[in-house]
Amino acid sequence: MNHATETLIVGAGPFGLGLAAYLQKRQHDFRMVGYPMEFWKRHMPAGMLLRSGIEWHLDPDNQWTIERFLSERGTSRGLVEPLSRELYLSYCEWFMRRAEIPVQETYVTQLGQNGNHFQATLADGSSVRARQVVIATGFYSTPTFRPGYRN
Protein backbone atom coordinates (compact mmCIF):
# COMPACT_ATOMS: atom_id res chain seq x y z
CA MET A 1 0.00 0.00 0.00
CA ASN A 2 1.37 3.43 -0.94
CA HIS A 3 0.57 6.47 1.23
CA ALA A 4 1.16 10.12 0.39
CA THR A 5 1.78 12.80 3.02
CA GLU A 6 3.23 16.26 3.35
CA THR A 7 5.68 15.29 6.12
CA LEU A 8 7.09 11.90 7.07
CA ILE A 9 8.46 11.64 10.61
CA VAL A 10 10.89 8.74 10.99
CA GLY A 11 11.17 7.80 14.65
CA ALA A 12 8.70 7.84 17.53
CA GLY A 13 10.86 8.95 20.42
CA PRO A 14 10.49 12.16 22.42
CA PHE A 15 11.36 14.54 19.59
CA GLY A 16 9.28 12.71 16.97
CA LEU A 17 6.29 12.58 19.33
CA GLY A 18 6.62 16.27 20.18
CA LEU A 19 6.79 17.20 16.51
CA ALA A 20 3.80 15.00 15.70
CA ALA A 21 1.74 16.70 18.43
CA TYR A 22 2.74 20.12 17.09
CA LEU A 23 1.84 19.23 13.49
CA GLN A 24 -1.38 17.49 14.44
CA LYS A 25 -2.67 20.45 16.46
CA ARG A 26 -2.05 22.64 13.40
CA GLN A 27 -3.81 20.16 11.10
CA HIS A 28 -0.65 19.59 9.08
CA ASP A 29 -0.64 16.39 7.04
CA PHE A 30 1.98 14.00 8.44
CA ARG A 31 2.73 10.32 8.92
CA MET A 32 4.90 8.97 11.74
CA VAL A 33 6.77 5.69 11.37
CA GLY A 34 8.56 3.90 14.19
CA TYR A 35 8.04 2.12 17.48
CA PRO A 36 7.06 4.52 20.29
CA MET A 37 9.93 5.15 22.70
CA GLU A 38 11.73 2.02 21.46
CA PHE A 39 15.23 3.37 22.12
CA TRP A 40 14.30 4.33 25.67
CA LYS A 41 12.66 0.97 26.35
CA ARG A 42 15.54 -1.10 24.96
CA HIS A 43 18.67 0.87 25.79
CA MET A 44 18.08 3.10 28.79
CA PRO A 45 18.75 1.26 32.06
CA ALA A 46 15.86 0.33 34.34
CA GLY A 47 15.80 2.59 37.36
CA MET A 48 17.64 5.38 35.53
CA LEU A 49 16.85 8.89 36.79
CA LEU A 50 16.42 11.73 34.31
CA ARG A 51 18.26 15.02 34.69
CA SER A 52 15.20 16.87 33.34
CA GLY A 53 12.55 17.90 35.83
CA ILE A 54 8.79 17.68 35.46
CA GLU A 55 8.64 21.11 33.82
CA TRP A 56 10.12 19.49 30.70
CA HIS A 57 7.53 17.59 28.67
CA LEU A 58 6.69 16.44 25.15
CA ASP A 59 3.83 18.81 24.30
CA PRO A 60 4.96 22.04 22.60
CA ASP A 61 1.51 23.54 23.32
CA ASN A 62 1.71 22.82 27.08
CA GLN A 63 -1.56 20.91 27.23
CA TRP A 64 -0.39 17.35 27.98
CA THR A 65 2.38 18.11 30.46
CA ILE A 66 4.06 15.89 33.01
CA GLU A 67 2.48 18.02 35.74
CA ARG A 68 -0.98 17.27 34.30
CA PHE A 69 -0.09 13.57 34.02
CA LEU A 70 0.92 13.52 37.69
CA SER A 71 -2.18 15.45 38.72
CA GLU A 72 -4.47 12.97 36.95
CA ARG A 73 -2.68 10.14 38.76
CA GLY A 74 -2.96 11.92 42.08
CA THR A 75 0.83 11.91 42.44
CA SER A 76 2.74 14.71 44.15
CA ARG A 77 5.65 16.35 42.35
CA GLY A 78 7.85 15.93 45.41
CA LEU A 79 7.41 12.14 45.30
CA VAL A 80 8.70 11.74 41.74
CA GLU A 81 11.63 14.10 41.34
CA PRO A 82 14.01 13.22 39.95
CA LEU A 83 11.91 11.44 37.31
CA SER A 84 12.57 7.76 36.79
CA ARG A 85 12.82 6.18 33.35
CA GLU A 86 9.73 4.10 34.18
CA LEU A 87 7.61 7.10 35.12
CA TYR A 88 8.79 8.97 32.02
CA LEU A 89 7.79 6.04 29.79
CA SER A 90 4.37 5.96 31.48
CA TYR A 91 4.02 9.68 30.81
CA CYS A 92 4.96 9.15 27.14
CA GLU A 93 2.27 6.47 26.71
CA TRP A 94 -0.28 8.73 28.42
CA PHE A 95 0.79 11.66 26.19
CA MET A 96 0.34 9.60 23.01
CA ARG A 97 -3.16 8.55 24.09
CA ARG A 98 -4.22 12.05 25.14
CA ALA A 99 -2.77 13.76 22.06
CA GLU A 100 -4.11 10.91 19.84
CA ILE A 101 -0.86 10.63 17.92
CA PRO A 102 -1.04 8.01 15.18
CA VAL A 103 2.09 5.90 14.71
CA GLN A 104 2.65 3.29 12.02
CA GLU A 105 4.71 0.69 13.88
CA THR A 106 7.30 -0.42 11.37
CA TYR A 107 10.76 0.60 10.18
CA VAL A 108 11.91 2.55 7.14
CA THR A 109 14.13 0.19 5.16
CA GLN A 110 14.95 2.56 2.33
CA LEU A 111 14.62 6.30 1.76
CA GLY A 112 15.33 8.07 -1.48
CA GLN A 113 14.44 11.18 -3.40
CA ASN A 114 12.21 10.99 -6.47
CA GLY A 115 12.00 14.40 -8.14
CA ASN A 116 10.76 16.88 -5.55
CA HIS A 117 9.42 14.17 -3.21
CA PHE A 118 10.90 11.52 -0.98
CA GLN A 119 9.94 7.86 -1.24
CA ALA A 120 10.23 5.63 1.83
CA THR A 121 9.98 1.86 1.67
CA LEU A 122 8.76 0.34 4.91
CA ALA A 123 9.48 -3.04 6.50
CA ASP A 124 5.76 -3.89 6.55
CA GLY A 125 5.66 -3.80 2.73
CA SER A 126 4.02 -0.40 2.39
CA SER A 127 5.59 2.83 1.21
CA VAL A 128 5.23 6.54 1.90
CA ARG A 129 5.67 9.43 -0.51
CA ALA A 130 6.40 12.73 1.26
CA ARG A 131 7.38 16.26 0.34
CA GLN A 132 9.64 16.47 3.38
CA VAL A 133 11.15 14.03 5.86
CA VAL A 134 12.19 14.57 9.46
CA ILE A 135 14.62 12.02 10.89
CA ALA A 136 13.92 11.77 14.63
CA THR A 137 15.52 8.43 15.42
CA GLY A 138 17.46 7.46 18.48
CA PHE A 139 21.10 6.55 18.20
CA TYR A 140 22.90 3.44 19.21
CA SER A 141 26.16 1.86 18.23
CA THR A 142 26.60 -1.87 18.22
CA PRO A 143 29.82 -3.86 18.38
CA THR A 144 29.02 -5.49 15.03
CA PHE A 145 28.78 -2.22 13.09
CA ARG A 146 31.84 -0.06 12.80
CA PRO A 147 33.19 1.85 9.82
CA GLY A 148 35.54 -0.48 8.01
CA TYR A 149 34.38 -3.52 10.02
CA ARG A 150 34.05 -6.77 8.09
CA ASN A 151 32.67 -10.12 9.18
Side-chain angles (χ1 to χ4, degrees), residues 21-143:
Y22 179 86
L23 295 177
Q24 183 162 282
K25 183 150 189 172
R26 286 146 185 86
Q27 299 178 356
H28 181 86
D29 180 43
F30 75 94
R31 185 174 221 53
M32 174 180 264
V33 175
Y35 291 88
M37 299 302 291
E38 178 183 39
F39 180 84
W40 280 74
K41 290 174 183 174
R42 287 189 179 190
H43 302 293
M44 296 296 187
M48 178 184 85
L49 300 176
L50 280 67
R51 291 186 299 181
S52 304
I54 69 168
E55 64 282 344
W56 188 90
H57 52 80
L58 298 176
D59 191 353
D61 294 306
N62 297 314
Q63 181 177 7
W64 308 116
T65 65
I66 293 176
E67 289 175 327
R68 185 169 179 181
F69 165 71
L70 294 173
S71 175
E72 286 187 15
R73 289 174 55 139
T75 304
S76 164
R77 173 186 189 138
L79 297 176
V80 299
E81 284 191 307
L83 288 174
S84 69
R85 168 193 169 267
E86 291 72 21
L87 186 66
Y88 183 66
L89 288 172
S90 293
Y91 160 70
C92 292
E93 290 174 20
W94 174 88
F95 171 77
M96 286 182 59
R97 283 192 312 275
R98 291 289 198 243
E100 298 178 349
I101 298 174
V103 180
Q104 184 173 350
E105 292 190 0
T106 189
Y107 294 113
V108 172
T109 58
Q110 186 174 7
L111 179 65
Q113 195 166 9
N114 184 0
N116 61 351
H117 286 85
F118 291 91
Q119 187 71 31
T121 304
L122 308 181
D124 66 6
S126 65
S127 62
V128 178
R129 183 175 182 246
R131 192 178 72 74
Q132 53 200 4
V133 176
V134 176
I135 305 296
T137 57
F139 55 93
Y140 185 70
S141 78
T142 64

